[in-house]
Amino acid sequence: MPPKQRITREMILERSFEMFCREGMEAVNARSVAKALNCSTQPIFSYFSGMDDLKSSLEMKAKETFEEALELAEWYDDAFVAWIQGEYQVRVGAF
């Protein structure tokens, strides 16, 4: 008999976050998360005190993900502006 898959807190959070992103917070419940992980609801409640705890963790993860995306976008924006300005200066200097 193959060993049981160990469900981790991070696995629960990642799968729940995927569901949240695709279907909204309404789709995230103990049974749907357990079904997506192919397990019972027991691992969910062993890592989270309840669905409010899981949803609070999801909101924190969403906020962190959004902030990381903003930082990355700002970096790319700054790099693009610097490249454009450098390109423009090269052209102006050539004339």
Side-chain angles (χ1 to χ4, degrees):
M1 182 153 99
K4 288 185 175 182
Q5 179 185 14
R6 172 131 165 78
I7 304 296
T8 65
R9 184 180 195 282
E10 189 59 32
M11 290 168 67
I12 295 166
L13 196 54
E14 284 298 318
R15 188 60 54 96
S16 299
F17 188 68
E18 290 171 11
M19 294 171 67
F20 165 66
C21 290
R22 280 194 321 264
E23 304 167 47
M25 191 65 85
E26 307 80 37
V28 179
N29 61 63
R31 287 190 178 127
S32 65
V33 173
K35 183 178 179 183
L37 289 167
N38 198 26
C39 70
S40 71
T41 59
Q42 189 275 331
I44 297 164
F45 295 113
S46 68
Y47 288 108
F48 298 94
S49 61
M51 288 308 297
D52 288 340
D53 186 24
L54 174 58
K55 289 181 178 186
S56 176
S57 296
L58 283 176
E59 289 170 356
M60 287 177 16
K61 182 172 178 60
K63 181 181 179 211
E64 290 169 2
T65 302
F66 180 71
E67 288 172 352
E68 288 172 7
L70 280 179
E71 287 176 17
L72 189 59
E74 287 173 5
W75 182 87
Y76 276 110
D77 189 45
D78 291 346
F80 181 72
V81 167
W83 177 78
I84 292 295
Q85 289 173 343
E87 194 69 23
Y88 179 73
Q89 289 171 359
V90 169
R91 288 185 186 171
V92 171
F95 291 109

